[in-house]
Amino acid sequence: MRLKISLLKEPKHQELVSCVGWTTAEELYSCSDDHQIVKWNLLTGETSQIVKLPDDIYPIDLHWFPKSLGIKKQTQAEIFVLTSSDGKFHLISKLGRVEKSVEAHSGAVLAGRWNYEGTALVTVGEDGQIKIWSKTGMLRSTLAHQGTPVYSVAWGPDSEKVLYTAGKQLIIKPLQPNAKILQWKAHDGIILKVDWNSVNDLILSAGEDCKYKVWDSYGRPLYSSQPHEHPITSVAWAPDGELFAVGSFHTLRLCDKTGWSYALEKPNTGSIFNIAWSVDGTQIAGACGNGHVVFAHVVEQRWEWKNFQVTLTKRRTMQVRNVLNDAVDLLEFRDRVIKASLNYAHLVVSTSLQCYVFSTKNWNTPLIFDLKEGTVSLILQAERHFLLVDGGGIYLYSYEGRFLSSPKFPGMRTDILNAQTVSLSNDTIAIKDKADEKIIFLFEASTGKPMGDGKFLSHKNEVLEIALDQKGLTNDRKIAFIDKNRDLYITSVKRFGKEEQIIKLGTMVHTLAWSDTCNILCGLQDTRFTVWYYPNTVYVDRDILPKTLYERDASEFSKNPHIVSFVGNQVTIRRADGSLVHISISPYPAILHEYVSSSKWEDAVRLCRFVKEQTMWACLAAMAVANQDMTTAEIAYAAIGEIDKVQYINSIKNLPSKESKMAHILMFSGNIQEAEIVLLQAGLVYQAIQININLYNWERALELAVKYKTHVDTVLAYRQKFLETFGKQETNKRYLQYAEGLQIDWEKIKAKIEMEITKERERSSGSQPTKSTGLKH
C-alpha cells in the first residue's frame, strides 16, 4: 500500500495553510493565514475563493458539522466551525456566510471539534480552558481549566468523554461531574495533535519529541515510533480505523492501526499542520506550511485468497494475478474503488455508486448493482452471501446480487462496526452492541429477524471480538468470542428458552479465526499459537479437550501479532512490524471433519489408524459421542487410553431400551437434566430415579419418587446403605420424615428393580424404535 501524491505547481494560498476539511469525497475547503477560504473540486480540478475573512481573523482549525447518521441519501455538510487567533470561533455556512461569531477564549482558540451526533462542540484555547458549547454556540460548561495552552482535543467514541493535551500529558475527562479523570505522561516534548477513533477506540498522539504514538483508551501504550528529524505536526485516523496518516516537515506517512508504516512520502510541502481524510477513506488532504494543499490517494492495496492476488493499481483499476499460471486480468471501474474483499471464490468491490461481484472462475462478466448509499465502510463474506455496511444500515446480498435482508436493532450505529464486531456465516449474522458491550445480537441471515426466541446473547464481561463458525448445520452453529479479560468462550447460536452454556476455551487469547473449510478454530494465546481441532469437545467430554489441541511456540511472531486469515490449512499472521507469516497446520483434522459430517465412520477410524496421532483419536472420540456413534467412540477412547470411558460405553451398549442408551450418552456428556427428561418422557421413572441415586443427587431422587408415588423405599434403602458405608447419621429432614416407621426389605426392593428392568426389556423389544428426541449438541 502506498500514497499517490498530487501537488499543484503553484500554491493557491499566499501564506501557510492552517486547516482543511472535506464536505464530500470530491470537495474540500482550505483556510490560510492569507484570510482566504478556498473550495477545491477534485473532479474538475477547479478551485474557487469562497470568502475572504477580515484581516484580524487568522484561522487555526476547521471542522465540518457531522452528516446526520442513518439518513439514507448522503447529505453534504452545510456548516463548519472555524476557530481563530482572536479568541472567537465562527460558524460559517457552505457558501461562506459567517452565521455566528462567539467570544470563546482569551488568546487564540487552538482547536474546535463537533461530537459524533453534532449535538455539542468542544473548543480549547491558549488560556488552558476546555469549553463545551451547544449546536447553536451557547456555552454549556467549562470542562477544565489548566495553566498551559491546550493544543488539540478529540471526542471519545460515545461522545461522553473528551481527550485533550496538557503539555507532555494526555488527559481523558468524562463530561459527568465527579467522574474519574485519566491522565498520563505521553511524550517527552509538548504534544501538538491528538485523534481518537470511534471504530477501534484507539488514540493517536504527536509531539515535539518528533514521535507519534498509539494508545488504547485506558492510556496503555501500543506503539511508539522512532524519533523523526522534525516535530510531528499532525496525525489523523482514517474513518474505518484501519489506517492513520502522520504529517511532519516535508513528510507524509501512511501507517497501519498497529503503528507500523506502509509508506513514506517526502513532498515539498513545508510542515503539514493539519490532515483530513475524505469521507470514504480513500484520500488524504494536508494543510502545508508553504501555502500548498497536498492531496494523497491510497493505492496498491492488496487482497489475497488461495492462488489469486488482487491489487488496486489506480483509483479505478485493479489487477488480478493467478500465481499458478501467471495469468493477469485488468478490471476497470467507472468510479473510484472504496472497499473490496476477496474470499470464497468471489471478489466483491464497492465503488462510490455501485457494487461489483466477480467470480474467480470468470473475471470478464461481473454482476453489478447500484448502492443505496455511497460510502461502504465494511464488506464481509461467507460461502453463500456477503454483507455490506454503510452509513445507512447493514445489507445482505447473495453473490447473484439479490438483496436478502437488512437486520436492525435498537440504537444501531453502523459507522462504528468493523470486522471484529460483526461476523457472518451461511445462516447467521452476529453483531456486538456498542451501547452495552456485554451483548451480542444474533440474526437469521435469510430474513434479518432475531435468532431463535429473539433473545440476544449476554456475557458477564465486555466482549472485544466475535467470530461465527462457517460450516455444519444451522442447529450446531457456534460463536466464539474474546472478552475484556482476554478469555476465549464458545457458545451455541440457537437459543430457545433454555439458557445455553457459555463455555471457556482458553485464557489470554489476543486474536482468533475459524477455518473457512471446517469448524477448526485457531488463536494466539500469550506465548503460544493454539489450534482447537474440535472446539465442540467442551460440550461432549471436557476432560479430553487438551488432547484435541495443537500448540506451538509463538515467540517468533513478536508481540501483538494478529491473525489475518485461516484458509484451508493455512493460517496467515501479521506481526507487529507489518510482515506476514504463513503457518501450515496438519491437513488430517479437516479430512476427519469431512468424513464425520458425511457419517463415514469406518473411513474416519481408518484415517486415525494411518496418522497414529493422539489428537486425531481424541477428536474422533468427541465427534463420535456428539453424533451418538458409540462403537466408534469405544475404539477412539481405547486408542487414547481412557479405559474407564470404554467400560462405561460398553455398559451403555448393554442397556435394554433406546431411551436408556440415549439418556446415558447424554449423561456421559454431562447433560444430566436432559438425560432425566428423556427417561421421564419415555415413562422410565425408575431409571430416572436410579441415575440420580448413582450420582448421589439424593434430594432429586426422593423428589421424583414422591412425585410419581413409586420406589420411595428404594431411594430410602440406597440412602441408608450410603450413610452406613460412611458411618454417618441421617440429618436430612425429608428423608427422616419418609423413613419414619418404614422397614427396609432388600429382597423386596431387588425384586421390584428386576421387574422394572424386565418391563423395560419387554417394552423395547415389543415396540418400534422411537425417534431420537433431537437433544444433540
Side-chain angles (χ1 to χ4, degrees), residues 299-488:
V299 290
E300 290 187 18
Q301 284 124 300
R302 195 169 283 141
W303 296 268
E304 288 176 4
W305 181 78
K306 291 192 174 173
N307 51 311
F308 291 100
Q309 189 182 57
V310 178
T311 311
L312 181 70
T313 49
K314 295 182 191 147
R315 297 175 64 176
R316 299 188 181 92
T317 312
M318 280 181 158
Q319 185 194 68
V320 181
R321 190 162 160 258
N322 183 343
V323 294
L324 292 180
N325 56 13
D326 260 346
V328 173
D329 289 277
L330 277 180
L331 313 178
E332 299 279 347
F333 301 94
R334 195 184 70 190
D335 310 292
R336 70 182 185 287
V337 172
I338 292 175
K339 277 265 182 279
S341 173
L342 174 64
N343 214 335
Y344 296 102
H346 286 89
L347 171 69
V348 181
V349 180
S350 76
T351 67
S352 48
L353 296 169
Q354 293 172 310
C355 181
Y356 295 71
V357 183
F358 296 87
S359 164
T360 54
K361 295 184 182 75
N362 180 5
W363 295 104
N364 301 323
T365 51
L367 191 132
I368 307 169
F369 59 89
D370 290 337
L371 291 168
K372 292 187 169 72
E373 186 177 320
T375 317
V376 170
S377 58
L378 179 67
I379 303 174
L380 286 182
Q381 288 177 261
E383 193 181 6
R384 293 185 200 148
H385 42 233
F386 64 94
L387 187 82
L388 298 180
V389 177
D390 65 22
I394 301 164
Y395 309 101
L396 191 72
Y397 292 92
S398 70
Y399 287 117
E400 291 77 50
R402 198 173 75 253
F403 173 72
L404 298 174
S405 68
S406 175
K408 288 181 175 59
F409 56 90
M412 180 166 88
R413 264 183 69 185
T414 54
D415 57 326
I416 51 176
L417 297 175
N418 63 5
Q420 278 73 50
T421 56
V422 185
S423 186
L424 176 68
S425 72
N426 283 338
D427 42 55
T428 313
I429 303 168
I431 304 168
K432 188 189 90 171
D433 188 17
K434 186 70 186 171
D436 181 355
E437 301 209 359
K438 297 174 183 177
I439 286 174
I440 300 168
F441 291 108
L442 300 163
F443 301 96
E444 283 176 14
S446 53
T447 61
K449 293 195 174 91
M451 262 299 191
D453 53 10
K455 279 189 187 159
F456 44 73
L457 197 157
S458 178
H459 186 52
K460 58 180 187 288
N461 291 323
E462 285 90 344
V463 176
L464 297 181
E465 189 173 342
I466 62 174
L468 288 161
D469 64 8
Q470 295 298 319
K471 289 288 178 180
L473 305 168
T474 312
N475 284 343
D476 295 335
R477 182 72 55 236
K478 299 285 185 291
I479 183 168
F481 60 86
I482 300 172
D483 72 5
K484 196 170 83 169
N485 298 337
R486 293 281 167 204
D487 291 332
L488 171 65

Side-chain angles (χ1 to χ4, degrees), residues 505-575:
L505 268 183
T507 55
M508 292 311 291
V509 181
H510 300 285
T511 168
L512 81 161
W514 287 96
S515 165
D516 66 338
T517 48
C518 57
N519 291 338
I520 295 177
L521 179 69
C522 72
L524 283 159
Q525 268 186 293
D526 221 4
T527 56
R528 303 188 307 286
F529 169 69
T530 308
V531 182
W532 288 265
Y533 283 135
Y534 186 59
N536 282 10
T537 308
V538 291
Y539 289 102
V540 179
D541 183 358
R542 213 179 294 191
D543 302 345
I544 62 166
L545 181 67
K547 293 182 180 177
T548 65
L549 305 184
Y550 163 73
E551 291 185 320
R552 63 177 274 180
D553 182 46
S555 54
E556 61 180 290
F557 311 130
S558 69
K559 69 176 202 170
N560 293 337
H562 176 74
I563 297 172
V564 179
S565 66
F566 186 0
V567 179
N569 63 329
Q570 183 107 343
V571 181
T572 306
I573 293 171
R574 196 179 283 283
R575 288 168 32 168

Side-chain angles (χ1 to χ4, degrees), residues 125-146:
E126 280 183 329
D127 57 3
Q129 294 195 350
I130 294 97
K131 295 184 175 182
I132 309 287
W133 308 80
S134 74
K135 189 171 156 179
T136 52
M138 306 293 287
L139 180 65
R140 280 192 190 156
S141 65
T142 300
L143 192 65
H145 191 166
Q146 58 179 47

